[in-house]
Amino acid sequence: MTAFNAVRFRVKPGREQDFLDAHKMVGSHWPNLRHANIIKTGERTYCIIAEWTDMAALDAARATMIATLDAFRDTLEDLGSGLGLTDPVSGEVVLALK
């Protein structure tokens, strides 16, 4: 079953291009990734949404995703409310709409 993960970020002032540049090699470094997009959700706030073949593929890529995060961690601001630098969620598709 296809799986997705989404991670929300807030980028430090003046570091947005560094943040985006750090993701440019994601497609070639994350195994079994089908698609990934970064959307801008507000002033210095972004979300990456990635599609995987299944949850096993997503789970297998976690170490690689963390290594990618480590490459740009210094560009991020704490999200507040005890979340830290990221707000990740993931799961299997339960209803495909289109």
Side-chain angles (χ1 to χ4, degrees):
M1 181 69 65
T2 301
F4 283 83
N5 74 306
V7 183
R8 189 167 56 100
F9 308 94
R10 180 182 303 123
V11 180
K12 292 177 181 175
R15 300 297 307 274
E16 291 179 85
Q17 194 58 54
D18 296 330
F19 167 79
L20 295 172
D21 288 346
H23 288 89
K24 287 187 177 175
M25 297 302 290
V26 161
S28 63
H29 289 111
W30 292 4
N32 297 309
L33 175 69
R34 285 187 176 168
H35 303 283
N37 292 283
I38 295 177
I39 59 173
K40 187 168 184 168
T41 58
E43 184 65 29
R44 296 185 297 111
T45 58
Y46 294 85
C47 184
I48 187 168
I49 301 170
E51 180 181 356
W52 304 86
T53 53
D54 54 31
M55 282 301 292
L58 191 161
D59 289 340
R62 286 195 196 280
T64 306
M65 288 188 284
I66 291 168
T68 301
L69 172 63
D70 289 342
F72 66 89
R73 191 179 296 274
D74 67 312
T75 71
L76 302 177
E77 282 187 357
D78 192 294
L79 293 169
S81 302
L83 290 173
L85 298 176
T86 65
D87 183 16
V89 294
S90 62
E92 291 181 327
V93 173
V94 295
L95 178 63
L97 300 174
K98 182 174 178 183

